[in-house]
PDB file of all heavy atoms in Angstrom:
ATOM      1  N   ILE C 110      80.154 102.191  21.207  1.00 98.00           N
ATOM      2  CA  ILE C 110      79.773 100.972  20.479  1.00 98.00           C
ATOM      3  C   ILE C 110      79.664 101.268  18.973  1.00 98.00           C
ATOM      4  O   ILE C 110      80.207 100.546  18.145  1.00 98.00           O
ATOM      5  CB  ILE C 110      78.426 100.420  21.014  1.00 98.00           C
ATOM      6  CG1 ILE C 110      78.594  99.943  22.464  1.00 98.00           C
ATOM      7  CG2 ILE C 110      77.906  99.289  20.124  1.00 98.00           C
ATOM      8  CD1 ILE C 110      77.285  99.677  23.179  1.00 98.00           C
ATOM      9  N   ALA C 111      78.979 102.361  18.645  1.00 98.00           N
ATOM     10  CA  ALA C 111      78.728 102.686  17.237  1.00 98.00           C
ATOM     11  C   ALA C 111      80.013 102.974  16.467  1.00 98.00           C
ATOM     12  O   ALA C 111      80.099 102.754  15.272  1.00 98.00           O
ATOM     13  CB  ALA C 111      77.781 103.884  17.133  1.00 98.00           C
ATOM     14  N   LYS C 112      81.021 103.450  17.187  1.00 97.00           N
ATOM     15  CA  LYS C 112      82.304 103.753  16.557  1.00 97.00           C
ATOM     16  C   LYS C 112      83.054 102.461  16.183  1.00 97.00           C
ATOM     17  O   LYS C 112      83.764 102.409  15.186  1.00 97.00           O
ATOM     18  CB  LYS C 112      83.133 104.604  17.520  1.00 97.00           C
ATOM     19  CG  LYS C 112      84.524 104.944  17.051  1.00 97.00           C
ATOM     20  CD  LYS C 112      84.519 106.098  16.084  1.00 97.00           C
ATOM     21  CE  LYS C 112      85.933 106.401  15.623  1.00 97.00           C
ATOM     22  NZ  LYS C 112      85.955 107.416  14.589  1.00 97.00           N
ATOM     23  N   GLY C 113      82.883 101.440  17.016  1.00 96.00           N
ATOM     24  CA  GLY C 113      83.492 100.139  16.708  1.00 96.00           C
ATOM     25  C   GLY C 113      85.006 100.114  16.785  1.00 96.00           C
ATOM     26  O   GLY C 113      85.661  99.359  16.064  1.00 96.00           O
ATOM     27  N   ALA C 114      85.590 100.930  17.660  1.00 95.00           N
ATOM     28  CA  ALA C 114      87.045 100.959  17.776  1.00 95.00           C
ATOM     29  C   ALA C 114      87.578  99.651  18.354  1.00 95.00           C
ATOM     30  O   ALA C 114      86.892  98.968  19.125  1.00 95.00           O
ATOM     31  CB  ALA C 114      87.478 102.133  18.653  1.00 95.00           C
ATOM     32  N   THR C 115      88.793  99.330  17.970  1.00 95.00           N
ATOM     33  CA  THR C 115      89.433  98.106  18.441  1.00 95.00           C
ATOM     34  C   THR C 115      89.734  98.183  19.935  1.00 95.00           C
ATOM     35  O   THR C 115      89.623  97.205  20.659  1.00 95.00           O
ATOM     36  CB  THR C 115      90.747  97.905  17.664  1.00 95.00           C
ATOM     37  OG1 THR C 115      90.423  97.900  16.281  1.00 95.00           O
ATOM     38  CG2 THR C 115      91.417  96.608  18.023  1.00 95.00           C
ATOM     39  N   ALA C 116      90.138  99.366  20.378  1.00 95.00           N
ATOM     40  CA  ALA C 116      90.523  99.553  21.781  1.00 95.00           C
ATOM     41  C   ALA C 116      89.446 100.327  22.537  1.00 95.00           C
ATOM     42  O   ALA C 116      89.729 101.274  23.250  1.00 95.00           O
ATOM     43  CB  ALA C 116      91.856 100.289  21.859  1.00 95.00           C
ATOM     44  N   ALA C 117      88.196  99.909  22.388  1.00 97.00           N
ATOM     45  CA  ALA C 117      87.085 100.626  23.009  1.00 97.00           C
ATOM     46  C   ALA C 117      86.895 100.158  24.445  1.00 97.00           C
ATOM     47  O   ALA C 117      86.484  99.015  24.682  1.00 97.00           O
ATOM     48  CB  ALA C 117      85.813 100.407  22.196  1.00 97.00           C
ATOM     49  N   ASP C 118      87.202 101.026  25.406  1.00 98.00           N
ATOM     50  CA  ASP C 118      87.127 100.645  26.820  1.00 98.00           C
ATOM     51  C   ASP C 118      85.735 100.150  27.199  1.00 98.00           C
ATOM     52  O   ASP C 118      85.562  99.048  27.702  1.00 98.00           O
ATOM     53  CB  ASP C 118      87.443 101.853  27.733  1.00 98.00           C
ATOM     54  CG  ASP C 118      88.833 102.406  27.527  1.00 98.00           C
ATOM     55  OD1 ASP C 118      89.795 101.725  27.892  1.00 98.00           O
ATOM     56  OD2 ASP C 118      88.948 103.521  27.007  1.00 98.00           O
ATOM     57  N   CYS C 119      84.744 101.025  26.996  1.00 98.00           N
ATOM     58  CA  CYS C 119      83.414 100.713  27.509  1.00 98.00           C
ATOM     59  C   CYS C 119      82.786  99.529  26.772  1.00 98.00           C
ATOM     60  O   CYS C 119      82.131  98.694  27.378  1.00 98.00           O
ATOM     61  CB  CYS C 119      82.513 101.943  27.432  1.00 98.00           C
ATOM     62  SG  CYS C 119      81.080 101.814  28.506  1.00 98.00           S
ATOM     63  N   SER C 120      83.039  99.447  25.457  1.00 98.00           N
ATOM     64  CA  SER C 120      82.494  98.314  24.698  1.00 98.00           C
ATOM     65  C   SER C 120      83.073  96.998  25.211  1.00 98.00           C
ATOM     66  O   SER C 120      82.388  95.967  25.223  1.00 98.00           O
ATOM     67  CB  SER C 120      82.819  98.464  23.211  1.00 98.00           C
ATOM     68  OG  SER C 120      82.177  99.597  22.678  1.00 98.00           O
ATOM     69  N   THR C 121      84.336  97.032  25.629  1.00 98.00           N
ATOM     70  CA  THR C 121      84.953  95.820  26.162  1.00 98.00           C
ATOM     71  C   THR C 121      84.249  95.394  27.444  1.00 98.00           C
ATOM     72  O   THR C 121      83.852  94.235  27.601  1.00 98.00           O
ATOM     73  CB  THR C 121      86.460  96.052  26.431  1.00 98.00           C
ATOM     74  OG1 THR C 121      87.091  96.432  25.208  1.00 98.00           O
ATOM     75  CG2 THR C 121      87.122  94.798  26.961  1.00 98.00           C
TER      76      THR C 121
END
Side-chain angles (χ1 to χ4, degrees):
Chain C
I110 294 167
K112 177 80 181 174
T115 304
D118 299 291
C119 199
S120 296
T121 301

